Amino acid sequence: MFSNESHGGARSRSLVITAVVVVAALAGGWFVYDAQHDSGPGPAAAGGSAGTAPAAPKATRGGGPAGSPVAHGDGGATPSSPAAPRAELAGRTVVIDPGHNLGNAKHTSEINKLVDIGTNRKACDTTGTATNAGYPEAMYTLDVAHRVRTLLQARGAKVLLTYDGDRAYGPCVDERARIGNAAHADAALSIHADGAPANRFGFHVIAPKSVHKGAADTRAIAAPSLRLATTVRSHFKAVTGEPLANYLGGKGLTIRDDLGGLNLSTVPKIFIECGNMRNAHDAAALTNAAWRQQAAQGIADGLTAFLEGKR
Ligand code: ZN
C-alpha cells in the first residue's frame, strides 16, 4: 500500500550511499518500475535530500514528458505543461486515489463485503463503469493518477497512490481514506469517471459534507475540502475545456455524506468525476491520451493552487 514511500526511499538512498548491496537491489527494482512512469533520472542531482528530489528532476524534465515514451506508452502530446523548474510543493504530501481496480470484477465477493463508513455500511469497493466500447473506468483512473503523480513530483511533492495496479482488488473505500490519513496528506484526491445516462455530460467534483457520526468526522476537513473542490474544478475546466456536468444542479459540484472515501478522511479530500463514460463526446475525450494528460494537468494545477493557498 505504501509502495511509493519505499520507492522514494530507495531512490534517495541509492544516490547517497555507494556500496550497500541491499539498497542497490531495492533501487534496481525501483528503476525498473519507475522507467514506466518517469521520464528522467532526475534524482541523480538530488544530493542529500531525503525522498523528494527538489529542483533537479524538473530541469531534466524540462521538455521531457511530451516526447518520451513515458506513461504507458500512449505518448499523448503533453499540451500545456508549465515545464519551468518549480519546487513549490517541496515538503508537501499528496495522496492520489485511482478509483476502483481492474481486478474488482473478478473479486466480487471480496469487494461486496460491507465496510463501516460512519453514516452507513457500504460495499468495500465497486467495479466502476466503462465506456460503451469497453474502456474501463479503472484503467482511466490509474492512467490519470500516474500522470498527476509525475506532474506533482516535478513540483517537488511527495505523492502516494492508494494502489498502483499492485493488488488483486480494492483497496476498500475505508482503507483508501486511511491511506491518506496515515500519510498526513496535505491533500487527497480520488479520480473517477461517471456512468450516467448517455445524454448527460461534463465533469464534477465532490466534497465531503460536514458529518459526525460513528467513524465519520469530517467537521474539520469540510471547509478546506470545499476549497480544494472549487479550486480543482476551476483549474480542470480551464485546462481541459470540459464543461461542468449538465446534471447534478449544473455547478459541477456536489456535497455528499455517503462516500466512505470522504467520510473517513481526516485530511482535505475530494473526488473528481472527470466526465461521463456513457456519453459519446465525453468517452471520446476520456479514451484519448492527450486529453488525459490535460485532465491530469488540470488536477495537478488545482492541487498545486490549493496547496499554495490560491484558487
Ligand atoms: Zn468511480
Side-chain angles (χ1 to χ4, degrees):
M1 129 174 74
F2 290 108
S3 58
N4 292 294
E5 283 189 339
S6 58
H7 292 326
R11 174 190 236 185
S12 55
R13 281 193 300 274
S14 72
L15 302 163
V16 174
I17 301 172
T18 52
V20 180
V21 173
V22 172
V23 170
L26 285 171
W30 182 80
F31 282 120
V32 167
Y33 168 82
D34 189 67
Q36 302 171 17
H37 305 280
D38 202 334
S39 60
S49 89
T52 53
K58 278 83 70 182
T60 309
R61 198 177 303 264
S68 43
V70 293
H72 313 293
D74 42 11
T78 304
S80 55
S81 176
R86 306 203 294 177
E88 62 267 49
L89 299 184
R92 314 305 293 273
T93 298
V94 177
V95 168
I96 299 297
D97 176 42
H100 316 283
N101 182 328
L102 270 183
N104 282 358
K106 293 181 178 172
H107 294 271
T108 49
S109 62
E110 290 95 336
I111 67 166
N112 285 336
K113 282 181 182 156
L114 298 181
V115 297
D116 181 4
I117 66 161
T119 56
N120 203 344
R121 287 171 64 77
K122 243 183 143 173
C124 150
D125 206 11
T126 53
T127 59
T129 186
T131 66
N132 290 341
Y135 177 70
E137 181 186 357
M139 189 173 287
Y140 171 83
T141 65
L142 191 56
D143 178 90
V144 175
H146 289 152
R147 295 171 187 273
V148 173
R149 176 173 63 185
T150 298
L151 291 165
L152 293 178
Q153 284 177 335
R155 297 173 186 176
K158 175 181 177 180
V159 182
L160 305 179
L161 302 191
T162 55
Y163 90 103
D164 194 6
D166 50 0
R167 49 185 294 163
Y169 64 90
C172 294
V173 292
D174 55 339
E175 185 181 349
R176 290 175 189 265
R178 288 192 198 104
I179 291 169
N181 300 347
H184 302 290
D186 296 293
L189 182 143
S190 188
I191 299 171
H192 290 260
D194 216 349
N199 64 345
R200 300 178 179 188
F201 59 84
F203 81 98
H204 69 282
V205 291
I206 307 171
K209 187 175 180 180
S210 180
V211 293
H212 183 212
K213 186 175 182 185
D217 185 356
T218 57
R219 292 173 296 176
I221 65 152
S225 297
L226 180 59
R227 186 171 72 78
L228 174 60
T230 55
T231 304
V232 169
R233 179 182 60 181
S234 60
H235 285 268
F236 189 88
K237 187 172 189 300
V239 176
T240 65
E242 179 75 3
L244 301 179
N246 69 340
Y247 55 109
L248 302 167
K251 292 183 178 176
L253 169 70
T254 57
I255 312 289
R256 292 171 59 169
D257 66 357
D258 63 330
L259 296 171
L262 297 181
N263 279 3
L264 302 177
S265 184
T266 58
V267 301
K269 183 172 181 184
I270 64 166
F271 280 36
I272 182 166
E273 298 276 1
C274 298
N276 177 18
M277 300 200 98
R278 298 295 183 178
N279 172 269
H281 179 270
D282 282 3
L286 295 160
T287 55
N288 179 286
W291 190 89
R292 289 198 299 276
Q293 185 64 31
Q294 290 184 319
Q297 186 78 49
I299 291 168
D301 286 356
L303 283 163
T304 300
F306 170 79
L307 292 171
E308 293 184 319
K310 302 172 185 170
R311 293 195 178 266

